[in-house]
Amino acid sequence: MKLYGDLISPFVRMAMVTAHETGLGDKVERAEARVDPTVPNTDLAKMAPLAKIPVLTTEHGHAIYDSRVIIEYLCHISGNKNLLPDEGVKRFRVLTLQALGQGIADSAVGFRYETAVRPQGLQWQGWMDRTKIRVDDALNELEAHWISYLADTNAGSICVAVVLSYIDFRLASWAWREGRPKLGSFHDEFCKRESMVKTKLG
C-alpha cells in the first residue's frame, strides 16, 4: 500500500498514525505528494479527481480517499475493532469525536492558507475571526465533555492529537493549552505513543 501526501498535513498524519496503531505501519509506504490551493497536482488527480491529500492506493491498485475513509479501511483490513468499535453507542461517539477533530483540522488548515498563502491585503478578516471562534468553541467542548473518550486510543483521539500537534507546528500563537489543562495533559501523553513519535513533525 502507498499513502500519498506530506506529514505536515494533519489529514495525512492521521492516516499514518492509524497505520501504525493498527500494526500496518511497515506495510504502508509513504510517497511525498504536495498540493497547492491554486495549481492542481496532475499526478494526484489521476488517482483522485479532487487531487487532495491523502490518497491511499491499495494492494489491489484501488485509490481510497479521504482520511476518514482511509482510517476506516486500515481498521477494516487489520481487523482492529478498538479504533473504530462495532458496538453502536460507542462507535458513534468515536465517529463524532473524529468528526470534531477533523473539523478543527479543516478550520486550522484553512486559516493557515488564508494567512500564509493568500496574497497580502486580500485576507478576509471576518472569516479568520469566525474560524478562530469556531476552533476555540470546539477545543472548549473537548475540554469539557470528551476527556474520557480521549483517554482511550481510538480514531477520534488520533485525529484530535494530530490536529493539536498541527496547531502547535503551524499556528502556535493560538496557545490552545491556555485554560484547557485536561486537553493539554491528554496531548502530552498521546504524543508519547510510538505512532506519534514515528510521524513526528519537524
Side-chain angles (χ1 to χ4, degrees):
M1 292 179 287
K2 187 175 289 188
L3 183 71
Y4 292 85
D6 188 324
L7 281 177
I8 291 175
S9 161
F11 306 105
V12 174
R13 193 180 181 200
M14 289 170 190
M16 201 66 220
V17 169
T18 301
H20 287 293
E21 290 289 346
T22 56
L24 296 173
D26 293 337
K27 295 183 179 180
V28 177
E29 176 188 355
R30 197 172 58 79
E32 288 294 327
R34 293 180 179 270
V35 293
D36 183 285
T38 60
V39 180
N41 182 322
T42 54
D43 290 333
L44 201 62
K46 293 174 184 176
M47 296 180 283
L50 295 175
K52 297 173 73 173
I53 55 175
V55 174
L56 179 76
T57 53
T58 72
E59 294 174 345
H60 303 291
H62 300 142
I64 295 178
Y65 47 88
D66 60 7
S67 54
R68 282 167 285 202
V69 182
I70 293 171
I71 287 170
E72 183 157 0
Y73 178 77
L74 294 172
C75 290
H76 173 72
I77 64 171
S78 68
N80 186 297
K81 304 289 187 180
N82 297 318
L83 298 186
L84 278 175
D86 281 338
E87 191 274 314
V89 173
K90 188 171 184 180
R91 179 178 179 84
F92 285 100
R93 289 294 284 171
V94 169
L95 287 174
T96 301
L97 179 59
Q98 181 183 14
L100 191 54
Q102 294 265 352
I104 295 170
D106 285 333
S107 295
V109 170
F111 192 96
R112 167 70 180 176
Y113 276 134
E114 185 73 15
T115 55
V117 180
R118 188 181 292 275
Q120 288 295 317
L122 298 180
Q123 287 86 0
W124 186 2
Q125 188 61 51
W127 180 88
M128 290 190 291
D129 293 343
R130 177 67 185 99
T131 297
K132 183 60 167 59
I133 291 170
R134 178 177 284 118
V135 171
D136 282 337
D137 287 347
L139 295 175
N140 290 337
E141 171 72 8
L142 290 170
E143 174 77 11
H145 299 119
W146 288 95
I147 297 302
S148 63
Y149 275 87
L150 289 171
D152 182 31
T153 302
N154 55 58
S157 59
I158 289 171
C159 292
V160 171
V162 167
V163 74
L164 293 177
S165 292
Y166 175 81
I167 293 172
D168 281 341
F169 189 72
R170 286 299 203 198
L171 301 164
S173 64
W174 282 9
W176 62 265
R177 289 175 177 78
E178 291 182 7
R180 303 182 185 101
K182 291 180 285 189
L183 193 58
S185 295
F186 151 74
H187 185 250
D188 291 343
E189 285 303 309
F190 202 96
C191 284
K192 296 175 184 176
R193 297 187 67 81
E194 185 178 6
S195 61
M196 294 290 283
V197 173
K198 285 184 173 181
T199 60
K200 188 175 181 179
L201 301 178

